């Protein structure tokens, strides 16, 4: 019988400079590998990225995380 391994998923908050402006960014990691980002453009505009692909936008961080998980599951 095969044992299930625990997978660590981390969320780290940083800032990123784009076109001369600084934005808050949430980076998502699977183990040590960065798998995506959520950029906060405005308090009600969160852009979700998996790799370099823009997967859509959301109006809250919770909605953005849910969108990320749905898109990640489709790609995996």
């Amino acid at each position: 019988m095969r044992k299930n391994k625990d997978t660590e998923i981390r969320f780290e908050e940083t800032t990123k400079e784009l076109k001369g402006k600084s934005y808050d960014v949430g980076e998502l990691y699977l183990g040590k590998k960065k798998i995506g980002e959520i950029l906060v453009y405005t308090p009600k505009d969160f852009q979700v990225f998996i790799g370099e692909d823009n997967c859509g936008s959301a109006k809250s961080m919770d909605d953005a995380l849910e969108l990320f998980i749905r898109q990640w599951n489709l790609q995996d």
Side-chain angles (χ1 to χ4, degrees):
M1 191 167 154
R2 193 174 113 172
K3 290 185 179 183
N4 290 335
K5 288 186 179 182
D6 290 336
T7 302
E8 179 186 274
I9 298 174
R10 287 184 293 127
F11 181 83
E12 294 183 5
E13 293 183 19
T14 64
T15 57
K16 190 177 217 179
E17 183 123 351
L18 297 171
K19 298 180 184 176
K21 285 189 170 185
S22 183
Y23 295 97
D24 291 330
V25 178
E27 297 179 332
L28 294 124
Y29 291 88
L30 182 62
K32 293 181 181 180
K33 180 182 176 188
K34 182 172 149 183
I35 57 174
E37 294 180 329
I38 298 175
L39 273 73
V40 183
Y41 283 110
T42 66
K44 298 229 178 210
D45 185 13
F46 297 80
Q47 298 292 317
V48 177
F49 293 89
I50 295 177
E52 297 295 320
D53 298 331
N54 185 341
C55 296
S57 63
K59 292 186 179 185
S60 71
M61 181 59 82
D62 289 341
D63 291 343
L65 285 168
E66 185 177 325
L67 175 62
F68 177 85
I69 291 167
R70 276 189 275 134
Q71 292 298 318
W72 177 259
N73 284 333
L74 290 175
Q75 289 184 3
D76 194 23

